[in-house]
Amino acid sequence: MKNKNLVSINDYTRDEQIQILDLAEEFEKQPSQRILEGYVVASLFFEPSTRTRLSFESAACHLGAKVIGFSEPGSSSLKKGESLRDTILMVSNYADIIVMRHPREGSARFASEVATIPLINAGDGANQHPTQTLLDMYSIRKTQGSLDNLNVAFVGDLKYGRTVHSLAIALSNYNTTFHLVSPPELKMPSSVKKYIKDSNLSYYQYTDLQEVISKVDILYMTRIQKERFSDPIEYERVKNSYVLRNNMLKDARPNMRILHPLPRVNEIAVDVDENPKAYYFTQALNGVFVRQALLASILGVK
Ligand code: CP
């Protein structure tokens, strides 16, 4: 994976994805290894983030790398009108690898073509979030023992939710049966459903959350993302579509685990947090190990 950009989850083969998960297991056992001393990671966040930015920066620190960058594009020369192209060209002079989040779909691919150093997409608009996908796969494999033959439900904003787009594509390698729960306005895009079909797999669509709970191994909740709606009235109509409560989990399979990329707003009630099936906070912790694996692999030290 040395110098290999990660913009879309399919930039890495199934075998390469598994290599990252296996390496992440090593970092989970021994997180502090000074193997990236002397390296500089540029962390460019043009859109808000807590988990992705801080877990990448934590991963870099645990490995001995230095981190430069910004979490607020208003503090960079973009504010003066500098283009994304020029920004990326400049940062390529200052760092060994770029981690970038940007609100525009396709911006990460564009930036990777301009950059003279490797680039990791930390989320581009409603398009892709491949590092989230890898930590989701890590979390699924860890909790279920395997990625194969699982029933997975995606719930909430399947239209704009970049995490579910990337994860559905990745899980199409593993004989997954997909259960897609959303309001009619926020269904999974046809392109992703076609990808599932072309992989000879099945998906089922629902509007009722309770209907899927007893059928699945993974219940992947997502937030209805206010920032993706151009029409505030449409957001108001769907914002409270799903709220998972503890009393809804009575018929869940013993092995079932609840994942969520976070942040949550109200789609998982806090009474679920104490349920042993709630895995979302550990899922976010797994992000550090997976991002250590990505930095070490792309920089060629593992
Ligand atoms: N899961 C995720 O991308 O969270 P942040 O927006 O906080 O980075």
Side-chain angles (χ1 to χ4, degrees), residues 51-167:
R51 275 145 295 274
T52 310
R53 184 172 71 82
L54 296 181
S55 64
F56 257 119
E57 295 184 8
S58 172
C61 292
H62 277 300
L63 298 180
K66 294 271 190 293
V67 179
I68 59 171
F70 51 80
S71 57
E72 168 50 64
S75 65
S76 76
S77 285
L78 279 157
K79 184 91 173 166
K80 303 176 201 160
E82 187 166 46
S83 65
L84 178 61
R85 177 180 180 277
D86 288 0
T87 304
I88 295 295
L89 278 174
M90 284 302 102
V91 174
S92 295
N93 292 331
Y94 305 145
D96 299 292
I97 188 166
I98 295 172
V99 177
M100 186 185 93
R101 171 172 288 186
H102 197 284
R104 207 167 59 234
E105 288 89 32
S107 54
R109 182 66 66 198
F110 171 77
S112 74
E113 287 164 4
V114 170
T116 57
I117 57 176
L119 183 137
I120 299 176
N121 178 10
D124 62 327
N127 184 32
Q128 285 252 336
H129 194 349
T131 69
Q132 178 72 42
T133 299
L134 290 165
L135 79 89
D136 292 341
M137 292 169 73
Y138 186 81
S139 301
I140 293 170
R141 189 174 79 164
K142 197 168 154 188
T143 60
Q144 305 299 318
S146 165
L147 287 163
D148 293 315
N149 307 317
L150 297 173
N151 277 272
V152 175
F154 292 127
V155 182
D157 178 0
L158 309 190
K159 179 178 177 183
Y160 299 115
R162 58 192 174 200
T163 63
V164 292
H165 301 162
S166 301
L167 185 55

Side-chain angles (χ1 to χ4, degrees), residues 160-300:
Y160 299 115
R162 58 192 174 200
T163 63
V164 292
H165 301 162
S166 301
L167 185 55
I169 288 167
L171 291 181
S172 293
N173 283 323
Y174 296 95
N175 198 32
T176 307
T177 303
F178 295 94
H179 303 266
L180 310 176
V181 186
S182 73
E185 300 91 329
L186 296 177
K187 280 186 176 169
M188 188 68 98
S190 317
S191 57
V192 179
K193 289 190 285 199
K194 181 174 183 310
Y195 193 95
I196 294 170
K197 277 278 170 226
D198 289 350
S199 307
N200 293 319
L201 299 176
S202 299
Y203 66 82
Y204 303 93
Q205 298 187 93
Y206 312 76
T207 53
D208 179 13
L209 167 57
Q210 189 69 63
E211 212 182 318
V212 301
I213 287 176
S214 62
K215 296 180 181 171
V216 300
D217 305 297
I218 294 292
L219 184 65
Y220 193 100
M221 300 294 297
T222 67
R223 175 174 65 96
I224 310 279
Q225 303 171 92
K226 187 176 185 182
E227 67 273 24
R228 304 276 177 238
F229 286 78
S230 50
D231 178 357
I233 296 168
E234 193 193 347
Y235 172 71
E236 287 301 318
R237 198 166 46 236
V238 296
K239 70 178 185 186
N240 295 320
S241 297
Y242 302 108
V243 181
L244 181 67
R245 298 186 193 285
N246 202 32
N247 63 12
M248 296 165 69
L249 296 167
K250 287 194 284 286
D251 297 327
R253 295 177 176 182
N255 63 303
M256 189 269 251
R257 291 293 177 272
I258 303 157
L259 271 59
H260 190 312
L262 304 176
R264 72 171 154 189
V265 181
N266 63 347
E267 60 279 1
I268 302 180
V270 288
D271 69 356
V272 178
D273 295 358
E274 300 307 316
N275 191 309
K277 296 185 188 315
Y279 193 73
Y280 27 92
F281 295 124
T282 310
Q283 177 189 357
L285 168 63
N286 292 338
V288 177
F289 314 127
V290 168
R291 287 167 176 137
Q292 285 183 288
L294 281 167
L295 291 174
S297 299
I298 297 172
L299 288 169

